[in-house]
Amino acid sequence: MNSELTIAPTTLLQQQQVEQLGAKSRGGSEQLSDAKRKELKKISQDFESLFVGMMLKSMRATVPENKLTGGGRAEETFRSMLDQEYSTAAAQRGGIGIATMVEKELLKRYEGVPQAVRPTATGEDNE
């Protein structure tokens, strides 16, 4: 009787693939390119800018309109444009800290996803 145990080649190949994937997940993730980091930073700043803009708009709604010198459609238009510029400038200069937190979370989540299953800009996987 032959007491040798044989393992099918496909089983060995699958085991090697499992070990490789485990090593990749334990060994950390690949480094993001500088362009991708800048893109994530821009997304974070845009989010904070949007939030600060909404906050300014809500704050403006609580202030009564100046009947003596203010009013009209032109002021409404320019006031909203001014608030938008304020929010953009605030986010670019550090703002209230939301952009930094969002960027850190995006970096954590982005670096945790393997390249093969990372979604592209069109929403498809890179396989």
Side-chain angles (χ1 to χ4, degrees):
M1 189 191 264
N2 190 356
S3 64
E4 258 183 63
L5 179 64
T6 58
I7 300 174
T10 56
T11 306
L12 288 174
L13 181 61
Q14 289 172 347
Q15 182 63 31
Q16 287 175 344
Q17 289 173 341
V18 167
E19 289 173 3
Q20 287 173 352
L21 288 173
K24 283 182 183 178
S25 67
R26 284 187 306 271
S29 56
E30 64 192 48
Q31 294 296 317
L32 292 173
S33 67
D34 286 340
K36 194 60 163 173
R37 285 184 183 275
K38 286 179 183 178
E39 181 182 353
L40 291 177
K41 183 173 184 158
K42 174 80 169 105
I43 290 169
S44 302
Q45 287 177 344
D46 289 347
F47 178 79
E48 182 171 7
S49 175
L50 179 67
F51 180 80
V52 171
M54 292 171 66
M55 195 170 63
L56 284 173
K57 183 178 179 180
S58 296
M59 289 169 44
R60 290 247 187 245
T62 64
V63 177
E65 187 178 298
N66 184 352
K67 300 290 182 189
L68 182 61
T69 61
R73 298 302 262 167
E75 183 177 346
E76 287 177 29
T77 302
F78 289 115
R79 178 75 62 191
S80 68
M81 290 171 56
L82 180 64
D83 288 345
Q84 184 179 10
E85 286 301 313
Y86 282 158
S87 63
T88 301
Q92 288 175 348
R93 289 180 176 84
I96 56 179
I98 293 174
T100 305
M101 290 186 288
V102 169
E103 183 181 4
K104 285 180 184 178
E105 284 301 313
L106 286 174
L107 286 171
K108 274 193 241 178
R109 291 178 188 265
Y110 194 89
E111 288 178 341
V113 178
Q115 180 68 31
V117 293
R118 192 169 291 157
T120 62
T122 61
E124 301 170 357
D125 290 345
N126 290 341
E127 292 185 25

